[in-house]
Amino acid sequence: MNFVGSHILSVSQFDRQAIEKVFEVADKMGPFANRQRVTRVLEGAILGNMFFEPSTRTRVSFGCAWNLLGGEVRETTEIKTSALAKGESFYDTARVLSGYSDMIVMRHQLEGSVDEFAAASRVPVINGGDGSNEHPSQALLDLYTIRKEMADRGKGIDELRIALVGDLRYGRAVHSLCKLLSLYNKLHFTLVSPPELALSDEYIEGIREAGHEVNLSDQLQSGIQHADIVYVTRTQEERFPTPEDADKYKGLFRLNQSIYTEYCEPTTVIMHPMPRDSREDANELDNDMNENPNLAIFRQTDNGVLVRMALFALILD
Ligand code: NCD
């Protein structure tokens, strides 16, 4: 994979070598992210951060990653504050905004929207999430976290046992993560979801064709047994036809400390792309796990800055 000047639209662009390259550079970003060292390498450069769907972590960590490399960030949030609300096309918006920026990160509710935008952009574009399709930078930071957590436990990514829990149908973070994990060897996937929110056949076939074992389950307790990683997700309510359609699935799987103690291994790592839905009717990952040292969710969010700095560094050479 050639990073320089490239758009990052899908994890399908990555092979093992490219992933290793990102992680190698991410490892070097720690001192800058921790304020032990300072660089102004992106001085004068502008990131166009365009988030047309809600975002906390992805938007702010991309922005911070750029700032930590010395650059400035311009944000556009919400469609109603941009000319897209006046009927402007992605083509025109991309031509214009890429004249003002050195790189663009974009999130939008439509699948394929970021590809269409990138095709008209004069600068590299990173997909910050396009509908329920993909979220490449999230999957890279998740994999980076998995690699670190497993190394701390004397293991690697090969032969990993991972349980993916929740809305696997609409969860773009899961879609991208499954594709990346499929590049490794002999993994064991347990896909825990209500049947209506199962991972689509296309993804399951892709995982199986790559030589991994896949089991489907609609039971949290049995699904998470023996897992090295339990990756919990939120019901993606914004993707359902109506809020009531999503309500049916909220709260079906609720991981808390007592379930963890009874069914997980003492070293099982708990991950979540976040946000976790902490409202009472959902609460898929309870706050009573916050002190559990195997809860890696805030290590994931910290790692997001390093991985995003690495992507900027590689794309801008
Ligand atoms: C995820 C997303 O937006 O796809 N969030 C994130 O970027 N960390 C997951 C989610 O919203 O549930």
Side-chain angles (χ1 to χ4, degrees):
M1 175 176 174
N2 177 25
F3 284 97
V4 182
S6 293
H7 304 305
I8 305 288
L9 302 173
S10 163
V11 290
S12 305
Q13 294 169 249
F14 288 79
D15 55 19
R16 289 275 294 267
Q17 207 187 355
I19 293 169
E20 281 308 315
K21 189 76 207 161
V22 174
F23 291 175
E24 190 188 307
V25 179
D27 284 341
K28 293 188 185 149
M29 294 299 178
F32 299 100
N34 295 332
R35 287 46 166 187
Q36 289 156 342
R37 292 184 66 193
V38 174
T39 173
R40 307 302 302 165
V41 71
L42 287 188
E43 185 141 39
I46 295 174
L47 176 71
N49 221 9
M50 302 174 54
F51 278 75
F52 300 117
E53 274 196 321
S55 174
T56 297
R57 274 146 290 272
T58 309
R59 177 174 55 84
V60 179
S61 67
F62 265 121
C64 289
W66 191 268
N67 288 150
L68 285 163
L69 293 169
E72 306 280 340
V73 180
R74 287 254 145 228
E75 282 196 348
T76 306
T77 54
E78 295 193 298
I79 290 181
K80 66 173 191 261
T81 64
S82 88
L84 289 171
K86 299 180 182 176
E88 188 167 57
S89 64
F90 285 137
Y91 179 89
D92 285 358
T93 305
R95 294 294 296 175
V96 173
L97 290 176
S98 58
Y100 305 155
S101 319
D102 298 275
M103 193 164 339
I104 289 174
V105 180
M106 177 172 163
R107 167 176 289 188
H108 193 280
Q109 67 188 21
L110 291 178
E111 297 182 18
S113 53
V114 185
D115 293 44
E116 189 182 334
F117 187 91
S121 170
R122 292 179 271 172
V123 298
V125 175
I126 300 180
N127 181 1
D130 62 322
S132 57
N133 182 35
E134 278 224 38
H135 193 348
S137 65
Q138 179 69 43
L140 287 165
L141 78 87
D142 286 340
L143 187 64
Y144 184 71
T145 305
I146 291 172
R147 193 182 71 145
K148 274 193 168 173
E149 298 288 326
M150 286 300 99
D152 290 345
R153 289 161 180 77
K155 295 183 183 177
I157 301 176
D158 291 340
E159 297 180 30
L160 183 82
R161 300 178 71 89
I162 184 165
L164 298 157
V165 179
D167 182 353
L168 310 182
R169 176 176 179 185
Y170 295 117
R172 57 190 171 201
V174 164
H175 296 163
S176 293
L177 181 59
C178 285
K179 285 196 201 172
L180 279 190
L181 286 172
S182 293
L183 296 172
Y184 292 78
N185 300 316
K186 290 192 169 44
L187 274 70
H188 185 291
F189 290 77
T190 307
L191 307 176
V192 184
S193 71
E196 300 84 357
L197 301 186
L199 188 66
S200 71
D201 290 343
E202 167 203 342
Y203 284 104
I204 295 179
E205 277 160 31
I207 300 170
R208 286 202 172 120
E209 273 165 26
H212 309 287
E213 198 180 316
V214 183
N215 289 310
L216 274 64
S217 169
D218 59 4
Q219 297 300 320
L220 178 68
Q221 278 83 342
S222 54
I224 61 178
Q225 278 182 312
H226 312 301
D228 296 306
I229 306 274
V230 175
Y231 189 98
V232 183
T233 65
R234 172 183 71 89
T235 305
Q236 309 281 297
E237 58 185 3
E238 64 274 36
R239 313 269 174 241
F240 287 74
T242 69
E244 293 73 41
D245 291 312
D247 287 345
K248 284 189 276 192
Y249 303 104
K250 283 190 189 168
L252 285 182
F253 305 123
R254 296 162 181 266
L255 182 57
N256 57 30
Q257 186 57 46
S258 80
I259 294 179
Y260 180 90
T261 306
E262 192 170 345
Y263 295 97
C264 291
E265 303 296 316
T267 54
T268 299
V269 178
I270 304 300
M271 296 176 62
H272 191 308
M274 300 187 82
R276 49 178 161 171
D277 186 342
S278 294
R279 288 170 291 191
E280 216 168 295
D281 61 342
N283 203 29
E284 69 270 358
L285 183 54
D286 201 284
N287 280 326
D288 73 356
M289 296 201 64
N290 288 356
E291 303 307 317
N292 184 324
N294 294 312
L295 184 78
I297 58 177
F298 301 114
R299 294 193 283 275
Q300 283 174 270
T301 54
D302 287 351
N303 288 337
V305 174
L306 307 181
V307 167
R308 289 171 172 134
M309 288 173 85
L311 288 175
F312 290 148
L314 288 163
I315 294 168
L316 295 174
D317 204 14

